[in-house]
Amino acid sequence: MTNRPTTSAVDFKSSRAPSIDEFALKVVFMLIVWACLLAFVNKLCQAVARKFWSYPVPITSASIPSKLPHPNPQGSAVSFDIPLMQATDEQIGAFMKFRGCETWPDEKQSRDIALRQVAHAAAEYKGFLYEERTMKWIDDHFRLRLPKLKYPYVDSHWNGWSSFWIETGEHIRNMFLSSVAVLFEHCINGLMLPVCYLITHNDAYLNVCLYSEVGYMVYATMWIIISYVYNKDVTVEQMHRSVWPLLLVHHISSLILCIGCIYCIESAPKELICWVLLALLGLTSSLHYVGQILDFSPFAQANKPWLRMSAHIVCLCSQIVFRMIYWLHIVYMTVTHTLEAHGTQLATLVLIILVLFTVFNADFVKFHYKATMGCWLKIQQGKRLVKPKDL
């Protein structure tokens, strides 16, 4: 009787195709790892937000609107037009009543404390308006497919990062935290691990990367399905409901490619796999999430126009290089290899998935081109070189 060599169930050094049990155990292990990591990143960001981004808004920086409800058109925010320190008691009282405070001013409070409450209420209302405008833009763009939409720019922040969290609506906060978490995942699975393999050619890095990506995608897909079942957003991405179908297609397509790589790992072109991960995650999608974080923060266009413009340019260039030019090489090499090594049927399936990703890529490049041009036009508008109607 001969003894079969055995390996640990979560050993990622092997370069052979796994058994079903081994595959399932490794994916579940990675799913648990990502559940813990994402929860940790979320809690850490919340702690930072409470500690550093939730200071009271200075009453000298805040403003309130003269018209209630405040106008909230597409595109750039309409700033509140009455500085709080110049507002009359009647104007403040009308605003606080509109915000649900019937007893302002409270005779038991000093005026300074009362004005701090007004500044807080104004910051919350400002955040609510941006969130409402952003959610409407996402729905109009992804579900209704309306043309010539104006991108929702956040208004300038009154107190920088110090009061940023107070000026941010609840859903935008969730999107901000989720963007940080997804960026963290992309940097590990799409940047760090592929680069480690390309430098060392140690199969363990690529194996961990592929199983890690499958575990994360299973985790993210699971929460999208749960969100549909319970009609409540518990997704990892915290995006508008109209984006969920796109996320599902993206995640399932990614799962098929990664699982295919795992089971064909003995003949797969490993360096090409790493470059696919770098092209789609590490060098493009990561920058997309960096941009989303900037758009929600005091580093947005209204506060730091040239910083935001620089980030737009870097992101757009990466999209063009890796999701357009180099992507053609990736598609050709991937389909050719699959056809030669595994036959027509699998090559056809891979081609269909890559065509779907090509559509995603085209939409990504188009979005970032428009975003970059919009930021540039707003900078020029600030210099009075273009008319507001051009935005």
Side-chain angles (χ1 to χ4, degrees):
M1 182 175 179
T2 58
N3 294 324
R4 292 182 62 186
T6 60
T7 58
S8 172
V10 289
D11 175 24
F12 293 101
K13 296 179 181 179
S14 173
S15 295
R16 59 176 176 79
S19 66
I20 297 296
D21 291 344
E22 184 183 0
F23 171 80
L25 194 58
K26 289 181 179 179
V27 169
V28 170
F29 173 76
M30 280 301 183
L31 187 153
I32 294 172
V33 167
W34 276 112
C36 295
L37 284 175
L38 295 177
F40 172 76
V41 171
N42 188 279
K43 294 296 183 183
L44 179 62
C45 288
Q46 288 187 38
V48 170
R50 289 191 299 268
K51 180 69 175 178
F52 300 105
W53 302 340
S54 300
Y55 288 96
V57 177
I59 59 177
T60 54
S61 302
S63 299
I64 61 173
S66 60
K67 185 177 181 181
L68 301 169
H70 187 64
N72 198 27
Q74 290 184 3
S76 302
V78 178
S79 300
F80 295 169
D81 53 346
I82 306 176
L84 181 55
M85 297 300 291
Q86 299 176 20
T88 64
D89 285 348
E90 290 76 15
Q91 290 170 325
I92 295 174
F95 171 71
M96 293 301 283
K97 183 176 180 180
F98 172 76
R99 293 298 295 162
C101 182
E102 302 284 349
T103 58
W104 193 93
D106 189 338
E107 296 179 356
K108 298 179 182 179
Q109 294 178 331
S110 67
R111 184 168 180 81
D112 185 65
I113 294 176
L115 288 177
R116 289 181 189 176
Q117 291 181 344
V118 178
H120 187 91
E124 288 185 332
Y125 184 46
K126 183 165 168 270
F128 164 79
L129 291 172
Y130 174 62
E131 179 179 301
E132 181 181 63
R133 198 165 67 254
T134 301
M135 294 300 108
K136 186 178 186 307
W137 181 88
I138 294 174
D139 190 51
D140 289 345
H141 178 74
F142 288 100
R143 183 176 67 87
L144 300 179
R145 296 303 226 178
L146 299 180
K148 298 181 180 179
L149 295 173
K150 294 182 179 179
Y151 188 77
Y153 291 95
V154 68
D155 200 4
S156 58
H157 289 79
W158 289 335
N159 195 31
W161 285 95
S162 297
S163 306
F164 153 59
W165 216 235
I166 297 173
E167 296 183 57
T168 306
E170 182 179 358
H171 198 156
I172 299 296
R173 289 183 184 184
N174 292 339
M175 291 175 67
F176 181 92
L177 295 172
S178 297
S179 296
V180 174
V182 174
L183 175 61
F184 175 74
E185 183 273 335
H186 281 13
C187 287
I188 291 178
N189 290 343
L191 189 61
M192 185 185 77
L193 291 172
V195 168
C196 285
Y197 175 80
L198 291 173
I199 292 174
T200 66
H201 288 89
N202 185 338
D203 287 349
Y205 288 117
L206 180 57
N207 293 335
V208 170
C209 180
L210 290 172
Y211 279 105
S212 178
E213 186 64 13
V214 170
Y216 171 78
M217 285 297 169
V218 170
Y219 182 74
T221 303
M222 176 186 72
W223 285 115
I224 296 174
I225 294 171
I226 292 173
S227 297
Y228 272 119
V229 171
Y230 290 97
N231 197 30
K232 180 181 179 181
D233 187 0
V234 290
T235 62
V236 172
E237 296 83 3
Q238 287 294 293
M239 292 294 288
H240 190 280
R241 185 186 180 94
S242 61
V243 185
W244 295 357
L246 293 175
L247 291 175
L248 269 179
V249 173
H250 174 272
H251 293 354
I252 293 172
S253 299
S254 299
L255 276 171
I256 294 172
L257 287 180
C258 289
I259 293 172
C261 290
I262 288 172
Y263 275 95
C264 300
I265 194 65
E266 295 177 31
S267 62
K270 297 175 182 178
E271 290 194 4
L272 180 62
I273 294 172
C274 289
W275 278 108
V276 172
L277 290 164
L278 284 167
L280 293 180
L281 293 182
L283 300 174
T284 56
S285 190
S286 293
L287 291 173
H288 169 78
Y289 279 101
V290 168
Q292 188 161 286
I293 292 168
L294 293 177
D295 278 339
F296 295 151
S297 77
F299 286 161
Q301 194 277 335
N303 290 91
K304 304 288 184 180
W306 284 108
L307 172 64
R308 189 66 192 94
M309 184 66 196
S310 300
H312 273 308
I313 292 173
V314 171
C315 185
L316 178 61
C317 289
S318 74
Q319 302 287 338
I320 293 172
V321 171
F322 290 103
R323 288 183 179 255
M324 288 182 63
I325 301 171
Y326 190 67
W327 181 250
L328 296 175
H329 172 74
I330 287 175
V331 171
Y332 173 76
M333 293 298 295
T334 303
V335 174
T336 301
H337 170 80
T338 308
L339 185 63
E340 293 175 351
H342 304 286
T344 306
Q345 290 185 341
L346 188 57
T348 302
L349 175 62
V350 169
L351 179 60
I352 291 171
I353 294 173
L354 293 178
V355 168
L356 285 175
F357 274 107
T358 302
V359 174
F360 285 131
N361 292 348
D363 193 59
F364 239 42
V365 173
K366 181 180 178 181
F367 169 80
H368 283 286
Y369 171 76
K370 288 185 175 181
T372 304
M373 293 306 299
C375 186
W376 173 252
L377 288 173
K378 285 188 70 64
I379 290 174
Q380 299 308 306
Q381 180 190 8
K383 296 179 178 180
R384 300 182 184 278
L385 295 180
V386 298
K387 298 179 181 179
K389 67 179 182 179
D390 294 329
L391 297 179

